[in-house]
């Protein structure tokens, strides 16, 4: 039979045990039907007889196979019963340290009493988006399931957390809310999720206390509803509380404490703001010292108090309200210390008026001391006839005081909860919610009272709801799989609930007894006995008449009826409440005025109306116990509402288990655990599951698991369902033991174990066969090895003998050869000796004969030499004698001829014609000089006469003026002449000042040049010193040890690299944060626009403001512009957030003002543009060829232009002044007609003014002539370089190289100051080049004056325009003020005052903003001027160098150079020109609307090259605004494109490559030598000339970082769903992995119906696609390497995190699959030449994890090998993997706890991080290395598809 087969020998079973509840044992013999006992062997090898009940024939429970022990889901166990559940939880908790386990739909959480690192942000992100059965059990998995079902089904969810006190309910609920706050964070800046979390410290402070079972026990129940909007972001929350334990305020048992807030206040009593509370330590107060020890180990009450205050502040509770709350709490402590004195034999009591605690109580609550003192000891009795005041006994007074304290605390608790709900409330519409119920579990103590009764009543209701939900889910599962539904019997606790809440139930009888005037607890207990004595759930104890027993679903509980009535009534005397209502403290008065249930007045009707009805006369007040809802009634109503809420939601259950009562970490008490498992309904869930078909397999999993049980012929069929059907029918004969569903196979309890046994037997038989074959093979191998060894020995022996014989033969032959060689050598030596002697004799003889012949030849040669020299001397002597005679004859003849010629010349010199020929040229020169002297003499005489006439006239005028001055001094009009004279003097001084200023400017320029030269010399000297110092340092470094240098440099390089990586990482994180803030700013701006549209029309933002905001750039520019100011304002909006910015008047006014300034700036720029166009139109002229006639015309044109400008600027001013003077004098003359000398004085003054004006005109004319001649001379100098060398022959001065007119100009320039130089020789003056120097100086002075004049005119025009703009602004402001004033008059006086204050604040704010903007503009102008100064200094140096080269060059070289420039301009120079109005079109065609597919087949990064060519042309024409505008528009356009295509990998990669290429171009052509090392000569010609775009390079670098991060984000989003399936779940090696039995959670309702599994090939194909796209678009190879390094790190992190959180994949086969997959990825890297990217190093933790799964895990040597191998894994990760390691079949062994402890001991010295999971969102800092392009700009072709016809090639 089946039972006999299952209960065979060596079968393991469970038997009951009084200590361990259940104890394992093993059968020592087979069981047969009819046996009365079983023979068992216990773990300690003791033999025991286990009797079998003859009636029930119940056999002991069977144990599950070891492979099923430690499963994540209890329903995956084959045998579902109590010992199996208990053992599985114990193994997981103690051996694997897993505190969470699934039990169907329930999450069982065991309190570890230790902080575990499994609740971090990384764990939250790991569980986010995962199905519930895919990861290890966790509270986050339940929260994710609720969140996902809410989003998918659009139905509200509930998480019900229950358990005993100390089981961890509050912590579990807190972590669930933290998960929702993290995953469903609010979309706005309201930070509602932070407020939801901040409510926890407050509620723990006022609602939690230390008990004997828990240091932080929640003494109330709460249900928190977290609201979500349509996008499932948190928008608000609401909290409901249940049954606060008020009795704890006045009483605590031993080793317990009051609520935490009391001890926190006492710990912080020394704070200055809490001094008025008059608190001391907690031991001094009765209400906080009854439990004994007032402290908790490891808890700092003062620190917790600070957290509570911060939470209050975060929730918006004002500081004043916080102080009021603390006053009320402190008053409760003082009330408990009030001393009550008994009088007259305890019939009455009194309180001392000097009681300091009562005084403090009254002072803190703001009530009258005398009234409170009186009504604490008296009470009022009201009858129909009169009212009595009665004294109370001591016990009554103490009870009344305690009741008052409890009531005050309860009211304060309710008010705080209400304030928390207000802070968490939102005005937005709630779309759905998730409720978290943290409620007390089933409780039973030695003494159980009213609180335990209510708690157990609530658990009865929750258990009923739980049972019905489990039953419903089972039914749905069966119907879904189309399995015949059979009714399953399950426990229904409705009778127990009816006993409590039905009509005339326990609560009804309790309320009825409370209404009886003299009702007692004993009478109520007697009524219970009479009414419910026959009920099966109600019992009467044998030894008590005041107690009763209720049989709850978990256990029987005995309740003591004492105190039930009083706690149900919750009576507080009316007189004390009235005193509190009259409190001076507003909060205290509000607490009790808003109370509708506790006040004695009949404020509520029987139907629960909320309307207060008051009589006109004082009504007859009834006692407190009438017309008041009892506590039991209120609790029943709130519980009913809670159940209705839970029934309307989808529930999720978390059952918290307390493992021991001693709070020891990871200590498991089986008795306590079983008790709680029974109480929380886990075992009921198991029982319901076991009654049906608890084990469920999909056809695919069943086929893979039990494939070995299928016969080969059956495997030929392709239908897996049919195969499974046939196999099961053949293996399991009873058809009721299994059912075939639509997608799954359902098994009864124990059938999976039976199949596992068959599978194990099959494996065992196969193993035996394999062992037999292997052993036979090993023996055959051994025999072959021995045979081969024998043959080898024989072969070696025979070889040795043969080799010995051969050796003898060789030795004999060698001896013969040796003898032969020796004899031959001896004969050869004798022969050589004789031969050497003969040779020596022959050599001596032959030498003697040769020397004799040599001496004869030498003597003959010497005789020949002597003869040669003697004959040569004789011949030379004869030749010299003949030559001397010839020379004497020639000299005599030549002297005769010279005397004759001299005589003839003397005769010719005496003639006159020769003198005339010599003096012809000199006469012309003398005549010309004489004429010049005569002209100058005439001019001098004329000027002398004019001067004498002017002097005489001046003397006469002075005399007349003196007379008139005396006359005017006497008359009233005398001051007018004096003023006119002063004006004349001022005009003269102004004329002199103009000359002096010109000289000062010349001197200043010369000084500046000297200073610059001196500075250059100093810099060169300093450079030389630095070079010397550098050489010295180099010598010192070279003298040091090379080894030390290598080590030091290596360490320094490592440190520098680390610092660089950290700095780069921080910087790129800032860039990433900046991009995130920028995105957030865009979203806020959109929302702001929508909000503004919804408001009144007066507050709408005009379109110009919107456009300016949209077009502003967030990057710095080279020139000062309006973008920087707007950027500051917008940056403030980003920093303070949208909500605050909307309320910040400063930022709003600043933005408004910026809009107006931008509008004015636009008008100004438009006007300047029009003027510029007009000037360009006038200046556009065609220059004719340069010849002599054109030079004269240019001279006249320059003269007229300069004269017109000078006359228009200066004469107007002087004429205006003259007219004003004339008018003033004429007016004065008409007033003084009687004065006789007035006309004469007026005429003299006019003449004097006229003379001064004429003199001024003469000076101006001279200056203009001088300027004209300078311009013409400059033009002639440029044209004269190509003329003939004799062009200066027209002048009569041989030493001069200048034109005569130029000398006249210089003469006019000197004027009167050089009159003494008229008779000088001008040719002599020009001999040293003085005129050239003067010409250069005058040219510079003329340019400077012209520049100053133009600058003054521009400044004047700008000033006029600014004044006009200010006038317009003032007009607009006046209009606005008038409108505001008219509106203000219509308001009330108070509103007018408030409005005036607001206007004044706005005005002051605007002034403050103006000052700030002025400071910012000045700082920016300072930076701009410094930068321009550097640029100009560089230009001056370049210009001076160019001038030096030009002066030293030859003319024909200059001519050829000019020709070359003209020819070069005709070719394409790699620049593109466009008009300013075409910029938007350029950006649209090239950036915003460009598709990457349109550029297929063209040069990679073509847009970047085109943009650089446009920038280069703007640099070529020196247009900084155009450069700034183009770069800003391009950057903004790229951002818009990336924002629009935020999930397009191809588009993001395209713009990353183009942005990097543009950055490289700006570096390559910047002119910096560091970037030009690889440039060709042609590329160097394409460098920027005028602008330094370093700042824009930084902006582009930041933009590249943002694009790179977006690219990584897109790629990770595509790859992440594939990783787990491809790396861990897919069978890369077929048949390697086996499938284990799975439980309910593997069928999570969150799982999709479709199969979204991926294989490794899909991942590789996707990465191939990424690699192809990036390579085709020309992305730098270094960046591609970094991209794949980041992606492989993400693959490693996600895979390893899943491995660490999933027990089902931690097996040997998974390790093999993982190593194979990693090898495939490494091969792909090598195939794509990406192995140098460091991607393999990022996979090192995953490689080591795979190896760890495959290594042996038994001996200490294995532990040492694991420690040495797993260097990239942390200790926590290694231990986690070992704990999770699960064998897939029974032949594998589990990792023992001792082995894990050995690993931990060996790794304890490691300093590993505490983080368990890898941060898969971590991003390595990206580096963009400089990668210059080999292309030249002039070789790039623009395709027609870009529609860029408006670009012109230059």
């Amino acid at each position: 039979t089946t039972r006999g087969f299952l209960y065979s020998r060596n079968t393991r079973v469970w038997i009951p045990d009084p200590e361990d509840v259940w104890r394992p044992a093993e059968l020592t013999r087979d069981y047969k039907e009819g046996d009365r006992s079983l023979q068992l062997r216990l773990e300690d090898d003791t033999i025991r007889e286990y009797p079998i009940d003859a009636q029930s024939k119940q056999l002991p429970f069977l144990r599950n196979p070891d492979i099923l022990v430690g499963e994540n889901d209890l329903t995956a166990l084959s045998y579902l019963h109590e010992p199996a559940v208990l053992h599985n939880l114990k193994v997981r908790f103690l051996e694997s340290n897993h505190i969470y386990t699934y039990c169907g739909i329930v999450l069982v959480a065991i309190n570890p009493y230790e902080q575990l690192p499994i609740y971090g942000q990384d764990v939250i992100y790991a569980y986010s988006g995962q199905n519930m059965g895919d990861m290890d059990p966790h509270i986050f998995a339940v929260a994710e399931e609720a969140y996902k079902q809410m989003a998918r089904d659009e139905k509200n969810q509930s998480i019900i957390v229950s358990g005993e006190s100390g089981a961890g309910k509050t912590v579990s609920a807190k972590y669930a809310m933290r998960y929702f706050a993290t995953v469903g964070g609010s979309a706005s800046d309201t930070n509602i999720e932070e407020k939801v979390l901040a409510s926890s410290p407050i509620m723990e402070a006022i609602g939690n206390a230390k008990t004997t079972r828990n240091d932080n026990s929640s003494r109330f129940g709460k249900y928190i509803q977290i609201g979500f909007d349509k996008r499932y972001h948190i928008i608000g929350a609401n909290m409901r509380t249940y049954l606060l334990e008020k009795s704890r305020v006045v009483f605590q048992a031993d080793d317990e404490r009051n609520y935490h807030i009391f001890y926190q206040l006492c710990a912080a009593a020394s704070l200055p703001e809490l001094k008025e509370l008059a608190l001391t330590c907690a031991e001094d107060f009765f209400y906080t010292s009854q439990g004994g020890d007032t402290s908790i180990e490891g808890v700092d009450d003062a620190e917790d108090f600070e957290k509570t205050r911060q939470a209050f502040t975060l929730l918006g509770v004002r500081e004043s309200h916080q102080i009021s709350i603390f006053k009320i709490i402190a008053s409760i402590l003082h009330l408990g210390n009030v001393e009550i004195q008994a009088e007259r034999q305890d019939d009455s009591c009194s309180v001392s008026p000097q009681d300091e605690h009562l005084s403090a109580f009254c002072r803190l609550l703001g009530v009258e001391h005398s009234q409170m003192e009186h009504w604490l000891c008296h009470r009022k009795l009201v009858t129909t006839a009169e009212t009595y005041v009665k004294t109370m006994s001591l016990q009554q007074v103490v009870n009344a005081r305690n009741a008052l304290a409890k009531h005050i605390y309860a009211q304060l608790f309710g008010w705080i909860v209400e304030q928390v709900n207000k802070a968490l409330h939102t005005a937005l519409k709630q779309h759905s919610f998730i409720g978290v119920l943290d409620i007390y579990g089933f409780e039973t103590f030695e003494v159980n009272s009213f609180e335990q009764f209510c708690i157990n009543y609530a658990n009865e209701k929750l258990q009923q709801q739980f049972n019905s939900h489990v039953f419903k889910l089972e039914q749905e599962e069966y119907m879904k799989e189309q399995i015949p539904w059979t009714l399953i019997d399950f426990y229904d606790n409705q009778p127990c609930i009816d006993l409590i809440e039905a009509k005339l139930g326990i609560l009804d009888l309790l309320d009825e007894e409370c209404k009886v005037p003299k009702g007692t607890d004993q009478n109520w207990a007697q009524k219970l006995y009479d009414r419910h004595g026959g009920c099966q759930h109600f019992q009467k104890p044998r030894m008590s008449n005041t107690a009763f027993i209720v049989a709850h679903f978990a256990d029987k509980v005995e309740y003591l009826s004492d105190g039930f009535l009083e706690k149900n009534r919750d009576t507080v005397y009316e007189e004390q409440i009235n005193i509190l209502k009259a409190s001076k403290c507003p909060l205290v008065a509000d607490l009790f005025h808003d109370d509708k249930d506790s006040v004695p007045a009949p404020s509520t009707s029987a139907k629960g109306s909320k309307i207060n009805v008051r009589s006109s006369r004082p009504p007859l007040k009834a006692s407190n116990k009438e017309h008041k809802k009892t506590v039991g009634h209120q609790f029943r109503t709130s519980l009913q509402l809670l159940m209705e809420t839970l029934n309307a939601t989808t529930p999720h259950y978390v059952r918290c288990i307390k493992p021991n009562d001693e709070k020891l970490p990871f200590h498991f008490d089986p008795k306590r655990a079983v008790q709680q498992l029974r109480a929380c309904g886990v075992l009921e869930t198991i029982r319901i599951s076991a009654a049906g078909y608890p084990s469920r397999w999909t056809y695919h999993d069943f086929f893979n698991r039990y494939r070995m049980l299928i016969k080969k012929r059956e495997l030929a069929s392709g239908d897996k369902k049919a195969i499974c059907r046939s196999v099961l029918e053949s293996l399991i004969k009873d058809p009721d033991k299994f059912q075939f569903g639509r997608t799954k196979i359902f098994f009864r309890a124990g059938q999976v174990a039976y199949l596992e046994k068959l599978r194990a037997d099959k494996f065992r038989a196969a193993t035996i066969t394999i062992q037999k074959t292997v052993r036979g093979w090993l023996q055959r191998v051994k025999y072959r090895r021995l045979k081969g060894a024998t043959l080898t020995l024989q072969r070696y022996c025979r070889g040795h003998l043969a080799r010995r014989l051969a050796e003898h033969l060789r030795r004999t032959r060698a001896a013969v050869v040796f003898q032969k060689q020796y004899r031959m050598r001896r004969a050869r030596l004798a022969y050589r000796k004789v031969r050497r002697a003969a040779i020596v004799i022959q050599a001596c003889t032959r030498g003697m004969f040769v020397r004799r012949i040599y001496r004869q030849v030498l003597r003959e040669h010497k005789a020949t030499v002597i003869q040669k020299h003697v004959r040569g001397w004789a011949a030379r002597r004869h030749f010299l004698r003949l030559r001397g005679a010839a020379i004497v004859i020639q000299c005599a003849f030549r002297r005769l001829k010279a005397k004759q010629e001299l005589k003839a010349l003397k005769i010719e010199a005496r003639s006159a014609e020769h003198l005339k020929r010599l003096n012809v040229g000199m006469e012309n020169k003398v005549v010309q000089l004489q004429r010049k002297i005569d002209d100058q003499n005439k001019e001098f005489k004329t000027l002398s006469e004019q001067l004498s006439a002017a002097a005489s006239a001046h003397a006469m005028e002075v005399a007349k003026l003196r007379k008139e001055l005396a006359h005017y001094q006497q008359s009233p009009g005398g001051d007018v002449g004096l003023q006119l004279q002063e004006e004349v003097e001022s005009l003269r001084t102004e004329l002199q000042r103009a000359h002096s200023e010109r000289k000062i400017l010349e001197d200043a320029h010369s000084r500046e040049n000297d200073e610059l030269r001196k500075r250059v010399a100093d810099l060169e000297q300093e450079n030389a010193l630095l070079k010397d110092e550098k050489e010295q340092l180099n010598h010192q470094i070279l003298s040091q040890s090379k080894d030390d240098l290598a080590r030091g440099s290596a360490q320094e390089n490592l440190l520098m690299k680390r610092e660089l990586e950290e700095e780069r990482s921080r910087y790129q994180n800032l860039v990433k944060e900046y991009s995130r803030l920028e995105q957030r700013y865009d979203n806020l701006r959109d929302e702001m626009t929508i909000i503004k549209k919804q408001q009144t029309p007066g507050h709408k933002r005009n379109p110009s403001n919107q456009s300016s905001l949209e077009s502003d750039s967030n990057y710095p520019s080279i020139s000062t512009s309006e973008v920087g100011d707007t950027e500051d304002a917008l940056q403030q909006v980003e920093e303070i957030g949208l909500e605050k910015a909307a309320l910040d008047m400063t930022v709003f006014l600043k933005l408004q003002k910026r809009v107006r300034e931008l509008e004015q700036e636009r008008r100004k720029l438009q006007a300047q543009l029009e003027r510029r166009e007009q000037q360009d139109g006038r200046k556009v002229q065609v220059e004719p060829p340069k010849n002599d006639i054109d030079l004269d015309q240019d001279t006249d044109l320059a003269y007229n232009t300069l004269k017109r400008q000078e006359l228009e600027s200066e004469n107007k001013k002087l004429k205006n002044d003259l007219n004003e003077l004339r008018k003033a004098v004429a007016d004065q003359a008409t007033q003084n007609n009687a004065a006789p000398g007035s006309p004469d004085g007026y005429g003299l003054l006019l003449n004097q003014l006229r003379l001064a004006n004429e003199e001024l005109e003469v000076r101006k004319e001279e200056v203009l002539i001088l300027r004209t001649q300078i311009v013409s001379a400059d033009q002639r100098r440029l044209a004269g370089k190509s003329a003939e060398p004799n062009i200066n022959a027209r002048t009569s001065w041989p030493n001069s190289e200048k034109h005569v007119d130029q000398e006249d100009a210089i003469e006019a320039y000197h004027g009167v100051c050089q009159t003494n130089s008229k008779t000088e020789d001008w040719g002599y003056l020009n001999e040293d080049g003085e005129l050239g120097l003067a010409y250069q100086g005058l040219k510079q002075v003329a340019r400077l004056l012209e520049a100053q004049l133009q600058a003054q005119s521009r400044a004047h025009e700008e000033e006029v325009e600014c004044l006009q703009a200010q006038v317009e602004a003032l007009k607009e402001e006046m209009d606005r003020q008038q409108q505001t004033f008219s509106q203000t008059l219509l308001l009330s006086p108070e509103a007018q005052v408030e409005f005036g204050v607001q206007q004044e604040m706005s005005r002051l704010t605007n002034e403050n903003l103006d000052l700030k903007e002025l400071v910012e503009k000045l700082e920016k102008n300072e930076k701009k001027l410094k930068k321009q100064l550097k640029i100009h200094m560089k230009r001056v140096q370049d210009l001076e160098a160019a001038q030096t080269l030009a002066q030293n060059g030859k003319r024909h070289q200059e001519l050829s150079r000019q020709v070359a420039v003209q020819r070069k301009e005709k070719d394409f120079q790699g620049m593109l020109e466009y008009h300013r109005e075409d910029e938007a079109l350029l950006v649209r065609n090239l950036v915003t609307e460009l598709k990457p597919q349109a550029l297929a087949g063209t040069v990679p990064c073509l847009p970047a090259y085109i943009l650089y060519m446009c920038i280069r042309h703007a640099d070529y024409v020196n247009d900084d605004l155009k450069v700034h505008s183009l770069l800003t528009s391009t950057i903004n356009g790229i951002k818009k494109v990336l924002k629009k295509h935020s999930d397009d990998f191809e588009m993001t990669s395209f713009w990353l490559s183009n942005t990097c290429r543009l950055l490289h171009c700006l570096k390559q052509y910047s002119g910096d030598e560091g970037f030009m090392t690889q440039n060709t000569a042609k590329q160097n010609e394409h460098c920027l000339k005028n602008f330094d775009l370093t700042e824009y390079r930084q902006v582009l670098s930041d933009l590249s970082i943002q694009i790179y991060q977006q690219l990584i984000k897109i790629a990770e989003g595509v790859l992440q769903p594939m990783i787990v399936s491809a790396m861990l779940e897919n069978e890369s090696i077929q048949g390697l992995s086996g499938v284990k039995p799975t439980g309910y959670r593997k069928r999570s309702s969150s799982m999709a119906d479709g199969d979204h599994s991926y294989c490794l090939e899909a991942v590789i194909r996707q990465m191939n696609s990424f690699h192809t796209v990036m390579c085709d678009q020309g992305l730098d190879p270094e960046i591609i390497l970094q991209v794949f390094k980041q992606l492989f790190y993400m693959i490693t992190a996600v895979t390893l995190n899943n491995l660490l959180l999933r027990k089902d994949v931690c097996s040997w086969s998974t390790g093999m699959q993982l190593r194979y997959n990693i090898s495939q990825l490494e091969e792909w890297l090598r195939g794509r030449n990406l192995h140098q990217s460091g991607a393999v190093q990022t996979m090192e933790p995953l490689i080591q994890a795979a190896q760890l799964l495959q290594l042996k895990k038994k001996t200490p040597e294995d532990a040492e090998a694991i420690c040495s191998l797993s260097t990239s894994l942390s200790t926590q990760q290694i231990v986690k993997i070992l704990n999770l390691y699960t064998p897939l079949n029974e032949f594998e062994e589990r990792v023992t706890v001792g082995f894990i402890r050995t690993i931990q001991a060996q790794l304890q010295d490691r300093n590993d991080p505490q983080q368990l999971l890898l941060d898969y969102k971590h991003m390595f800092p990206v580096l963009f290395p400089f990668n210059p392009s080999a292309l030249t700009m002039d070789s790039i072709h623009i395709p027609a598809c870009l529609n860029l016809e408006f670009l012109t090639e230059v």
Side-chain angles (χ1 to χ4, degrees), residues 1181-1236:
Q1181 295 177 358
V1182 180
E1183 295 185 359
K1186 294 291 182 179
N1187 50 32
D1188 295 337
I1189 299 174
D1190 293 333
L1191 289 175
D1192 297 335
Q1193 293 178 356
D1194 293 339
T1195 303
D1196 296 337
L1197 180 61
Y1199 173 80
N1200 293 330
T1201 302
L1202 293 173
K1203 182 176 181 180
R1204 178 174 57 80
Q1205 292 177 356
E1206 190 72 23
L1207 291 175
E1208 287 178 356
S1209 61
E1210 296 292 334
N1211 290 346
K1212 286 182 180 179
K1213 181 179 179 182
L1214 295 176
K1215 289 180 180 179
N1216 291 334
D1217 296 339
L1218 181 60
N1219 292 330
E1220 291 177 359
L1221 288 174
R1222 287 176 178 173
K1223 185 176 180 181
V1225 174
D1227 294 339
Q1228 188 67 30
T1230 54
Q1231 293 176 3
N1232 299 309
N1233 289 330

Side-chain angles (χ1 to χ4, degrees), residues 902-914:
L902 176 62
K903 187 175 180 180
L905 288 174
K906 287 182 178 180
I907 294 171
E908 184 181 0
R910 293 188 184 99
S911 64
E913 293 179 359
H914 178 68

